[in-house]
Amino acid sequence: MRIAIGSKNPAKIQAVLDVYEEAEIISLQVESGVSEQPFSDEETMEGAMTRARNCLAQSNADIGIGLEGGVVKMNQDLFLCNWGAMATRDGSVIVAGGARVPLPEIVAGKLLRGEELGPVMDAFTKQTNISKKEGAIGVFTNERITRSDMFLHITRMLAGQYEYKLKS
């Protein structure tokens, strides 16, 4: 099986590699079709679905996977959100969503003023490329859940739904 993932981000690639150890994995830089900083579950899910479909359009893979992180406002807080999508050659798209944690006000405020989470987290942690390592989820869970773990969970849900569909 040949699987294309719509990202060059090592945390996302590792999640797919961990689920599909026997498959050939292709990493592609594809467009999400949404904002650099998605601001709702709907926009984040749409970005994942668009990435998955674009993987199939730009490769000869059997399956395309899109993994997208965003934020969602709930009550007075801004929460991390994340979605994954798997597109197959028969035209179907499977989706799954993941973990939620609230962002500290200092981080949320910057996002609400138009900044993107990756650079905000780099400044907040005084590190570089947090989004390619533990991610905001790793920072705010004391690395009990990293960005790769979070996307691994989503990729497992996508794989399980796909396997269930094949059996049905």
Side-chain angles (χ1 to χ4, degrees):
M1 181 183 310
R2 190 170 207 196
I3 299 172
I5 176 171
S7 180
K8 294 289 186 180
N9 185 302
K12 295 178 181 183
I13 295 167
Q14 190 59 53
V16 175
L17 287 169
D18 287 349
V19 173
Y20 290 102
E21 295 172 354
E22 304 298 317
E24 179 184 350
I25 307 296
I26 307 159
S27 169
L28 301 172
Q29 192 65 45
V30 298
E31 292 297 318
S32 68
V34 298
S35 309
E36 285 293 319
Q37 180 57 68
F39 247 89
S40 67
D41 277 318
E42 294 81 5
E43 185 180 15
T44 308
M45 182 173 29
E46 183 62 36
M49 294 184 331
T50 300
R51 285 185 193 278
R53 288 185 187 113
N54 283 342
C55 282
L56 292 183
Q58 295 176 28
S59 74
N60 64 351
D62 304 301
I63 291 172
I65 294 179
L67 300 170
E68 192 78 17
V71 294
V72 60
K73 190 159 178 63
M74 298 175 70
N75 298 322
Q76 300 304 316
D77 293 319
L78 201 59
F79 286 77
L80 291 175
C81 73
N82 38 85
W83 285 89
M86 175 186 286
T88 59
R89 289 286 172 195
D90 68 3
S92 65
V93 178
I94 298 165
V95 296
R100 299 257 193 282
V101 296
L103 293 169
E105 192 173 309
I106 189 167
V107 172
K110 291 179 185 227
L111 299 181
L112 291 168
R113 288 190 294 277
E115 294 184 51
E116 188 183 343
L117 184 60
V120 169
M121 288 304 300
D122 285 353
F124 180 79
T125 61
K126 297 174 180 50
Q127 297 180 43
T128 57
N129 294 319
I130 288 294
S131 67
K132 292 178 173 43
K133 298 182 250 178
E134 68 267 26
I137 190 93
V139 171
F140 299 126
T141 64
N142 201 37
E143 291 194 46
R144 292 206 178 241
I145 299 289
T146 64
R147 194 157 198 239
S148 185
D149 295 334
M150 178 183 66
F151 283 122
L152 174 60
H153 181 84
I154 291 172
T155 305
R156 283 181 173 154
M157 288 190 288
L158 294 172
Q161 289 180 82
Y162 177 72
E163 292 161 1
Y164 176 80
K165 182 181 168 185
L166 289 178
K167 289 189 331 187
S168 300

